[in-house]
Amino acid sequence: GDRARLRPGDAPVLGNAMAMRLWLPRGPGAGAPPLALVGHENGEVLAWDLAMLRPRLWARTPPGVFSSPCTDLDVNRDGTVLFAGGVEAKARAFALGEGDIRPRADVALPVACAAAHEMDQKPGLGQVALRPDGRILGTAGWDYRVRLFSAKAPFKPLAVLKYHDGAVNALAWSPDCTLLATGSKDTKVAVWRVFPPR
């Protein structure tokens, strides 16, 4: 984005860009322009309108939605729901609209398990990713777990996948929606067959 388009003093407050996702409209009348969604070190997410010769700020989250850096994000095919996570125990779903990225008040996705000892707790996410058909959201947790949620409101938990012995930092869905691959700090890659599409 163009720093000149931010309010004076915003750039240092936002900190580094920690996550980015491009969203392109699917055909005419898609509502939103092409967007670059950027998660920042202060936890805010900004959406930049890429249809302009000089990108302009299209929308942003209110300050304080995350109290830590936004480490990853993904957006649904319609460009109406944004999922984001950071270095804390909850991921969030947001309604995405021009001028405003509003937290969905009805949902906070639990992405960290309770631990027996405080030192064992590792809140945070390496990645969030929507399955290509837009029906399931996967989260790669620093608590060694992969969690799956319905990507439609009310975003119900579907499964917790346990295999890794270290923080899960990456996940990717196969284009045909049949496989999920996860990668971890434990140097293992796992391939899961979960909830095949009908």
Side-chain angles (χ1 to χ4, degrees):
D2 183 355
R3 284 184 179 237
R5 305 266 177 179
L6 293 173
R7 294 186 303 248
D10 264 357
V13 174
L14 291 170
N16 292 323
M18 305 291 289
M20 178 177 276
R21 184 76 61 205
L22 296 176
W23 178 82
L24 301 175
R26 295 180 180 263
L35 298 173
L37 299 147
V38 184
H40 288 274
E41 196 171 12
N42 75 341
E44 284 189 63
V45 177
L46 277 62
W48 294 94
D49 177 349
L50 301 179
M52 310 301 276
L53 186 56
R54 287 180 57 138
R56 71 174 177 91
L57 185 61
W58 189 76
R60 73 188 304 163
T61 55
V65 172
F66 288 112
S67 59
S68 61
C70 176
T71 56
D72 201 36
L73 44 87
D74 206 349
V75 64
N76 71 349
R77 287 191 277 184
D78 300 332
T80 56
V81 179
L82 169 73
F83 297 95
V87 186
E88 50 196 68
K90 300 239 184 259
R92 298 296 307 243
F94 298 87
L96 185 57
E98 185 168 8
D100 184 36
I101 303 175
R102 289 183 323 279
R104 294 281 306 252
D106 58 340
V107 63
L109 309 173
V111 294
C113 64
H117 304 288
E118 189 174 314
M119 295 297 288
D120 292 337
Q121 291 189 14
K122 298 182 182 358
L125 292 176
Q127 189 170 359
V128 298
L130 281 164
R131 195 166 77 171
D133 64 4
R135 298 180 71 188
I136 297 176
L137 175 74
T139 65
W142 292 348
D143 66 346
Y144 313 168
R145 309 285 194 275
V146 174
R147 287 178 172 75
L148 304 178
F149 298 89
S150 168
K152 307 285 183 202
F155 311 105
K156 293 182 181 177
L158 300 174
V160 177
L161 308 178
K162 300 175 187 177
Y163 169 74
H164 292 289
D165 298 317
V168 184
N169 294 316
L171 56 83
W173 294 96
S174 64
D176 66 359
C177 303
T178 59
L179 300 174
L180 172 66
T182 59
S184 168
K185 187 176 179 180
D186 65 9
T187 71
K188 297 176 191 171
V189 172
V191 179
W192 312 81
R193 185 177 302 277
V194 291
F195 302 109
R198 296 178 201 170

